[in-house]
Amino acid sequence: MGFTHEITVRFNHCDPAGIVFYPRYFEMVNAALEGFLERHVGQSLASIILEQKRGGTPAARISAEFKRPSRLGDILEFQVDVERIGHTSADLRFQAWCGGELRMICRKTVVWTSREVKPEPWPPEIRAKLAEALAWSAERPGDAEGAA
């Protein structure tokens, strides 16, 4: 099992050379996170912020490795894995693949926050879904060696 989110590289993602401009990957990672929350956790970010009046899941830390360029028209499959669940935060790994080739790896620490955007403990139902993802993430291979 596992969670993946597909994104087609569009014109707005690219620089004049037609390759993904690196900050756009962070937007794609956020889109993959939103997809993960909605389809695996069962709560959209819109619902968390607008209906539950939470601060959302802001990033506390983010890092990326760019392995190969992605180009206009590529279809990227973002593999989302949970690497750690803390009291108020979680470490996630996002790997962007295209045709079996690893393009980018991003690690992001997100924090569950109150309306005032202060860290709070994960609600039990969300923690349970994160724990489920942590279990299947442990079964998937980590960063692909030799993909650089």
Side-chain angles (χ1 to χ4, degrees):
M1 187 178 181
F3 181 84
T4 58
H5 183 82
E6 194 174 275
I7 296 174
T8 300
V9 175
R10 305 286 185 199
F11 179 75
N12 65 299
H13 297 129
C14 296
D15 64 14
I19 62 173
V20 172
F21 181 47
Y22 69 92
R24 300 294 180 234
Y25 272 117
F26 293 121
E27 294 172 354
M28 293 182 208
V29 163
N30 199 63
L33 173 60
E34 286 192 50
F36 173 78
L37 290 171
E38 188 170 325
R39 295 195 316 270
H40 177 72
V41 175
Q43 296 187 32
S44 71
L45 193 55
S47 167
I48 291 168
I49 293 171
L50 301 174
E51 295 170 19
Q52 298 176 40
K53 307 291 187 208
R54 310 295 301 180
T57 55
R61 180 179 309 121
I62 191 165
S63 65
E65 293 178 57
F66 305 100
K67 300 292 192 175
R68 300 255 193 271
S70 296
R71 301 185 183 286
L72 183 62
D74 283 350
I75 298 172
L76 300 178
E77 183 176 275
F78 280 79
Q79 178 179 307
V80 181
D81 290 297
V82 176
E83 295 188 311
R84 179 196 65 85
I85 308 165
H87 184 63
T88 63
S89 66
D91 293 339
L92 307 174
R93 181 182 63 223
F94 301 82
Q95 294 184 85
W97 295 86
C98 183
E101 181 179 71
L102 182 61
R103 301 292 179 83
M104 189 269 311
I105 302 167
C106 178
R107 285 191 163 78
K108 183 175 183 178
T109 301
V110 297
V111 181
W112 182 255
T113 61
S114 67
R115 183 178 197 163
E116 296 77 29
V117 195
K118 294 184 180 180
E120 288 192 345
W122 291 104
E125 66 278 7
I126 293 178
R127 176 177 277 287
K129 289 293 191 176
L130 292 174
E132 184 180 290
L134 180 66
W136 46 254
S137 293
E139 296 173 6
R140 292 210 287 198
D143 305 345
E145 291 299 320

